[in-house]
Amino acid sequence: MDFHALAYILLNLICCAFILYLGFDLLKNEMQSVKRQKGLRLVLDLIILQLFIYLVSESGFTISLEFPPKFAIVFIIPSFIFSAIFLYSNRNSNWIKKVSLKQITLFQSFRILVESLFLWSVAKGILHYNVSIEGYNFDMIFGFTALLVYLIIWVLKKENKKLLLYWNYLGVIVLASVIFVFVSTLYLPQIYGFDKTPMKVSFLEYPFVLVAAFMMPLAVFLHILSIIRINKNPKIN
């Protein structure tokens, strides 16, 4: 495994570390026994999820460009269903109101690193430029807006609930556009002037599949979490 592939794993570990940091931060005021129990469950859930992604990828089952896309059926759709059920069922929970919007907003800038890895993957011949910022994927630009929103709201102290709310809605739309670019490049290449898909199956191999299986769903999850948090507790912190 070369450094290029290791960079995907490293970024994935950073995402896992953020989830743990966010989770344990929310648990800091709980009783020690509750904190230990819920903290251990969070760690185990993350480990199980990462092992699932690795083992399914290594099995070769999802490494296919045939329609319907197996990687979406196994990884993306279940993650969206889980996020919807989890956030809806917890929408009135006290922990939702305590989530740090500042931390989540700043962390969304990790998408700059994701898109930088995409450019590296384009250069390595693993991804087609169509799905990077050289083509129709503008998620890197949105990643920079996370830094801008953080600067305006928390550094310059210009609290603006509507700005943060609309920014999160825009983030979901941007991610939806990225998914469309990937899917259309795979299955509707004619709209981009290609006779057949210019994508290679290698982008579905581990660790590159971590973006679709974990990092992208995480970004969507954090946007929806932020939207619920703003509506339940308008205090921006």
Side-chain angles (χ1 to χ4, degrees):
M1 185 178 294
D2 61 12
F3 186 71
H4 169 246
L6 287 175
Y8 277 86
I9 295 177
L10 178 59
L11 184 53
N12 178 68
L13 291 175
I14 291 173
C15 291
C16 290
F18 175 75
I19 294 174
L20 292 176
Y21 169 78
L22 196 65
F24 281 103
D25 185 55
L26 291 170
L27 291 171
K28 63 184 178 183
N29 295 323
E30 297 281 356
M31 294 176 57
Q32 192 64 32
S33 58
V34 175
K35 185 188 301 184
R36 188 183 302 111
Q37 180 182 4
K38 291 185 176 180
L40 179 60
R41 180 178 177 181
L42 177 60
V43 172
L44 289 176
D45 286 346
L46 268 178
I47 291 174
I48 291 171
L49 175 60
Q50 294 298 320
L51 280 175
F52 173 76
I53 294 171
Y54 174 76
L55 293 174
V56 172
S57 300
E58 288 298 298
S59 73
F61 176 73
T62 57
I63 304 176
S64 170
L65 297 181
E66 296 178 357
F67 191 86
K70 293 180 180 178
F71 74 95
I73 294 173
V74 174
F75 294 133
I76 299 178
I77 295 176
S79 68
F80 285 171
I81 293 174
F82 166 79
S83 295
I85 294 174
F86 178 81
L87 291 174
Y88 181 79
S89 61
N90 284 275
R91 67 192 185 283
N92 294 318
S93 300
N94 287 328
W95 70 264
I96 288 276
K97 301 174 184 178
K98 299 176 183 178
V99 169
S100 173
L101 291 170
K102 177 170 66 174
Q103 294 172 357
I104 293 178
T105 301
L106 184 60
F107 184 74
Q108 288 283 15
S109 63
F110 88 96
R111 286 145 71 169
I112 300 171
L113 299 178
V114 173
E115 299 305 324
S116 297
L117 288 179
F118 277 9
L119 288 174
W120 194 357
S121 297
V122 170
K124 298 275 286 186
I126 295 172
L127 287 177
H128 189 267
Y129 71 86
N130 208 49
V131 298
S132 73
I133 196 170
E134 293 179 341
Y136 303 97
N137 181 351
F138 305 113
D139 201 40
M140 179 183 284
I141 297 174
F142 186 83
F144 280 108
T145 68
L147 301 177
L148 180 61
V149 170
Y150 178 83
L151 175 66
I152 292 172
I153 295 179
W154 286 284
V155 177
L156 300 180
K157 307 295 184 181
K158 298 184 182 298
E159 292 192 8
N160 191 321
K161 175 184 174 181
K162 287 186 177 180
L163 170 63
L164 190 57
L165 187 62
Y166 294 151
W167 177 80
N168 277 288
Y169 280 122
L170 178 61
V172 176
I173 294 172
V174 170
L175 287 168
S177 73
V178 173
I179 294 173
F180 174 78
V181 169
F182 266 91
V183 173
S184 59
T185 300
L186 282 172
Y187 302 109
L188 296 170
Q190 295 80 10
I191 67 176
Y192 302 106
F194 301 114
D195 293 329
K196 60 180 182 179
T197 179
M199 297 286 285
K200 296 181 179 179
V201 73
S202 53
F203 86 98
L204 293 174
E205 298 173 354
Y206 193 88
F208 312 113
V209 74
L210 284 168
V211 175
F214 183 67
M215 297 184 215
M216 181 274 293
L218 173 61
V220 174
F221 178 88
L222 293 177
H223 275 308
I224 303 301
L225 174 59
S226 295
I227 291 169
I228 296 173
R229 160 66 170 79
I230 294 168
N231 289 326
K232 293 296 180 179
N233 180 7
K235 184 178 179 181
I236 298 177
N237 58 10

